[in-house]
Amino acid sequence: LYLPDNGELVIGTGDDLKVYHDGTDSFIHGITRDGSSGTRYLKIRADETRMVNEANSAIVARFIDGGANELYHNGLKKLTTYSAGVEIHGSEGANCELYLYADEGDDDADNWKLTTLAASSTFQLQNRASGSWETNIEANGDGNVELYHNNAKKAETVSGGFTITGTATATEFVGGGSGLTGVGETIG
């Protein structure tokens, strides 16, 4: 069966499904000729459905019956669904990044990023409010957690407790604060 550009393969008693090529793009169109609502869903049934690139050399998306759904970028798996949620994959030797954009991401203050760094076991939460990426929180595997203000570290966990850089303000100390120490002196 050969149809020229804009020739339609029409299927269904009410012309419910059309398959055609307009000279540039290809279409599977579920609608009747008179423009009224046609096919409700396009169902592709298989144990596994794969979408591949034009050269048929790399997977673009993979949908497994009763299992994972996977999205690929340039042939590399980037996102996988599984029973408890979603996995995001970085490329070998590269960071893994998840961008979150509020309010359409049209202003720098709307942009946030979660990153795992490839060269270490470091996880970062960053914002772009200043026009460039700045760290808010950094967590290091088997190590410290750091808190930042305007990209400057202000507090971190250490093996013996917690270290603050700058001024610490508290409204109350439990136990009278007798265990707190200041610069060269005990407080409380």
Side-chain angles (χ1 to χ4, degrees), residues 38-117:
T39 306
R40 237 179 110 180
Y41 302 106
L42 174 63
K43 296 180 180 181
I44 301 172
R45 293 177 57 185
D47 288 337
E48 181 177 318
T49 303
R50 290 184 181 197
M51 298 176 73
V52 296
N53 65 354
E54 194 276 329
N56 196 27
S57 61
I59 297 173
V60 175
R62 184 173 172 226
F63 308 98
I64 303 166
D65 182 29
N69 296 310
E70 301 170 346
L71 297 177
Y72 292 73
H73 177 81
N74 201 23
L76 299 172
K77 184 169 41 173
K78 294 299 176 182
L79 187 132
T80 303
T81 64
Y82 69 106
S83 61
V86 176
E87 295 175 354
I88 298 173
H89 308 266
S91 300
E92 182 65 32
N95 295 346
C96 182
E97 299 174 341
L98 174 63
Y99 294 85
L100 305 168
Y101 301 116
D103 186 35
E104 298 179 352
D106 54 352
D107 300 307
D108 281 336
D110 300 336
N111 299 287
W112 290 83
K113 177 172 66 166
L114 300 174
T115 304
T116 57
L117 302 178

